[in-house]
């Protein structure tokens, strides 16, 4: 399946597949093929079917070898991936390709991308990101392509980097605006040679949070944390 966020998006990506198969590769058209109905059949028995993510009921039932989700950041991935697509892929041990941009650091696409970078991530997950200006077929002058210059004039830096720089926009309520998962998140472990400090943000109805860190010169490394809701300081003290 090739899946778009809506009908127009699905038509766009399916039309691209149609042009490659029949115009560039010159495959013979098989019985039942229809560009309008987004059905494409190949001589080896394979099929490419266009689907829309805004109709989850249409994403169940078939066993699949591969799904390609274009503009995945516009889809309800937290629902259609585990509920519809993953079961269909499991029957044939199929794969998935998510294509999209980041829309904030809390988006479904960003979470999937970030999870694939974790040390505990299974080997069958990989994630990649690169800024739009590295695609020289679309932006032949790279970062200095005129249309990108225009976008930089009309967007904030955060908006531009989210849309074209493959960097998730920071939550406007974030305290540390410079935080970058790629730069600031890595494996950190307890080191008995270093002093331990705790930063506490108490709360009862809100979250009670504690970060546990080492301080090594000017470098601070957080190696543990505590986070809970509806607890008192006495409860947290017993845990820590």
């Amino acid at each position: 399946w090739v899946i778009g966020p809506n009908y127009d998006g699905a038509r766009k990506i399916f039309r691209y597949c149609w042009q490659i198969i029949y115009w560039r590769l010159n495959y013979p058209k098989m019985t039942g093929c229809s560009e309008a109905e987004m059905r494409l059949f190949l001589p080896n028995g394979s099929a490419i079917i266009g689907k829309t993510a805004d109709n989850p009921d249409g994403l169940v039932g078939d066993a699949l070898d591969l799904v390609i989700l274009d503009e995945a950041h516009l889809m309800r991935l937290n629902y259609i991936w585990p509920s519809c697509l993953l079961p269909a892929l499991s029957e044939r041990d199929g794969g998935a390709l998510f294509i999209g941009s980041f829309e904030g650091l809390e988006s479904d696409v960003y979470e999937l991308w970030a999870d694939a970078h974790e040390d505990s991530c299974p080997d069958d997950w990989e994630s990649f990101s690169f800024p739009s200006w590295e695609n020289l077929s679309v932006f032949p002058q790279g970062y200095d392509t005129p249309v990108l210059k225009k976008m930089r004039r009309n967007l904030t830096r955060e908006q531009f980097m989210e849309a074209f720089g493959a960097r998730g926009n920071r939550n406007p309520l974030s305290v540390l605006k410079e935080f970058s998962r790629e730069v600031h998140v890595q494996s950190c472990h307890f080191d008995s040679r270093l002093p331990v400090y705790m930063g506490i943000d108490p709360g009862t109805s809100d979250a009670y949070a504690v970060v546990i860190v080492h301080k090594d010169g000017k470098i601070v490394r957080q190696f543990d944390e505590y986070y809970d809701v509806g607890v008192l300081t006495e409860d947290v003290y017993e845990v820590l």
Side-chain angles (χ1 to χ4, degrees), residues 171-205:
N171 186 317
L173 300 179
S174 296
V175 176
L176 300 175
K177 302 296 184 183
E178 299 81 6
F179 174 80
S180 168
R181 190 182 188 100
E182 296 77 36
V183 174
H184 298 111
V185 177
Q186 56 184 280
S187 296
C188 295
H189 305 285
F190 173 73
D191 188 337
S192 60
R193 299 169 299 175
L194 297 174
V196 175
Y197 299 88
M198 289 190 294
I200 301 175
D201 184 7
T204 51
S205 58

Side-chain angles (χ1 to χ4, degrees), residues 119-133:
D119 292 340
S120 59
C121 177
D123 292 336
D124 56 355
W125 276 92
E126 291 186 80
S127 63
F128 311 90
S129 66
F130 58 89
S132 298
W133 53 83

Side-chain angles (χ1 to χ4, degrees), residues 201-210 226-231 235-236 239:
D201 184 7
T204 51
S205 58
D206 295 327
Y208 199 117
V210 181
Y226 174 88
Y227 187 93
D228 206 346
V229 178
V231 296
D235 303 322
V236 178
V239 174

Side-chain angles (χ1 to χ4, degrees), residues 206-220:
D206 295 327
Y208 199 117
V210 181
V211 295
I212 306 172
V213 305
H214 284 312
K215 188 173 184 296
D216 186 6
K218 294 183 178 181
I219 299 175
V220 176

Side-chain angles (χ1 to χ4, degrees), residues 55-95:
N55 179 25
D57 291 340
L59 299 177
V60 296
D62 292 338
L64 302 172
D65 296 296
L66 176 68
V67 293
I68 299 175
L69 300 95
D70 190 40
E71 303 291 352
H73 57 285
L74 301 178
M75 303 178 189
R76 294 172 53 204
L77 292 182
N78 61 344
Y79 175 73
I80 66 172
W81 172 240
S83 301
C84 306
L85 300 178
L86 197 55
L89 290 168
S90 65
E91 293 187 37
R92 295 186 176 178
D93 195 23

Side-chain angles (χ1 to χ4, degrees), residues 131-181:
S132 298
W133 53 83
E134 291 187 6
N135 184 354
L136 299 181
S137 64
V138 178
F139 304 104
Q141 288 84 43
Y143 188 75
D144 293 323
T145 300
V147 67
L148 291 180
K149 289 183 177 180
K150 180 179 179 181
M151 291 298 103
R152 291 199 296 275
R153 289 195 302 268
N154 289 276
L155 300 174
T156 66
R157 173 173 173 77
E158 289 77 14
Q159 290 171 333
F160 176 80
M161 293 303 294
E162 180 179 86
F164 299 100
R167 182 178 299 175
N169 201 355
R170 274 60 184 154
N171 186 317
L173 300 179
S174 296
V175 176
L176 300 175
K177 302 296 184 183
E178 299 81 6
F179 174 80
S180 168
R181 190 182 188 100

